[in-house]
Amino acid sequence: MLVKCSVDTLEYENISNSVSLVPRLAYSINLLDEIIEILKIKKHDLKKSNKDLVSDFNNTDDVIRKAIELEKIIVFSLEILFQIQKRIGNISGVYNIPKIFPSSIPMIRMVSAQLFGIVPYCSQKLSELSVHLGSIVLDSAVLTKARFDFSQSNEESSILLDKVKLMVDSKINKQYPNLDFFKLCNT
């Protein structure tokens, strides 16, 4: 990532702050990549285990429902993190950060909360990531004199979360076409 700054337009303090964003952003990207890799493995393991579980007719609907719900949470978390990864990839300078990141932070926190009892390590690292990104957003806002509309950021987060939820539900339904999800959800 390249942060462009001109000595003519920025004060000395702002130049040093702008430069300090780069290593924190790089660390955040690496942290996100690590979390995604762990969740990919978890997703693969769950998918394999759930296929076996579904094919074994001795399992109860409750066991299958819980197993598939767990897989949905992991797939949902991964899809949200992929969206955030794309957003981070769109950062081309310090001025983009206050525009792109604010809606990502609540999504990261929500995913962290969902994973708390399932993959505690990832939950903890996502909490750390949200803190890092929050500090990057605030520092970039100071540099760029940006203003935030948190209601707009929350609305953007909600819209993306809803889209991803629909996509994940569709993926899981296609993955397990012989299951009656309506019946499973009502047991």
Side-chain angles (χ1 to χ4, degrees):
M1 180 183 126
L2 177 65
V3 176
K4 298 177 183 177
C5 60
S6 167
V7 178
D8 299 331
T9 58
L10 296 175
E11 299 171 18
Y12 174 75
E13 179 183 332
N14 286 347
I15 292 171
S16 65
N17 285 339
S18 179
V19 172
S20 76
L21 291 175
V22 175
R24 289 188 292 153
L25 188 55
Y27 176 77
S28 297
I29 290 168
N30 289 336
L31 189 57
L32 181 60
D33 291 345
E34 175 190 348
I35 295 163
I36 287 173
E37 287 308 310
I38 292 168
L39 291 177
K40 281 181 180 177
I41 293 167
K42 182 80 170 164
K43 175 188 166 191
H44 173 75
D45 293 347
L46 281 170
K47 186 175 180 178
K48 184 179 177 198
S49 144
N50 285 351
K51 282 210 182 271
D52 294 340
L53 190 66
V54 169
S55 65
D56 183 1
F57 293 109
N58 293 326
N59 293 308
T60 65
D61 287 346
D62 192 48
V63 170
I64 293 170
R65 181 185 56 78
K66 286 179 182 175
I68 292 183
E69 190 59 37
L70 182 62
E71 185 177 353
K72 276 174 111 173
I73 290 169
I74 297 298
V75 172
F76 177 80
S77 298
L78 259 174
E79 291 298 330
I80 290 295
L81 296 178
F82 288 147
Q83 293 296 321
I84 292 168
Q85 194 175 44
K86 280 184 202 173
R87 288 176 176 213
I88 291 175
N90 289 332
I91 299 295
S92 59
V94 71
Y95 285 93
N96 295 116
I97 293 171
K99 296 174 188 171
I100 294 175
F101 279 3
S103 60
S104 298
I105 294 167
M107 290 188 291
I108 290 170
R109 289 182 178 149
M110 194 272 308
V111 170
S112 174
Q114 278 195 312
L115 295 176
F116 182 76
I118 302 168
V119 191
Y121 177 81
C122 288
S123 175
Q124 177 187 5
K125 290 299 178 183
L126 284 166
S127 293
E128 180 183 339
L129 178 62
S130 75
V131 169
H132 280 279
L133 292 181
S135 73
I136 291 169
V137 167
L138 290 176
D139 289 352
S140 67
V142 168
L143 289 170
T144 62
K145 296 181 171 75
R147 295 175 190 249
F148 298 107
D149 181 353
F150 289 107
S151 63
Q152 181 182 351
S153 292
N154 289 339
E155 187 175 325
E156 288 173 21
S157 296
S158 293
I159 290 169
L160 184 58
L161 290 168
D162 289 343
K163 284 180 184 178
V164 170
K165 184 184 180 323
L166 288 173
M167 182 179 68
V168 168
D169 286 345
S170 176
K171 277 183 177 183
I172 296 293
N173 288 339
K174 286 178 185 174
Q175 187 173 321
Y176 302 104
N178 296 328
L179 288 182
D180 184 354
F181 284 97
F182 183 74
K183 180 182 169 195
L184 285 175
C185 291
N186 290 324
T187 54

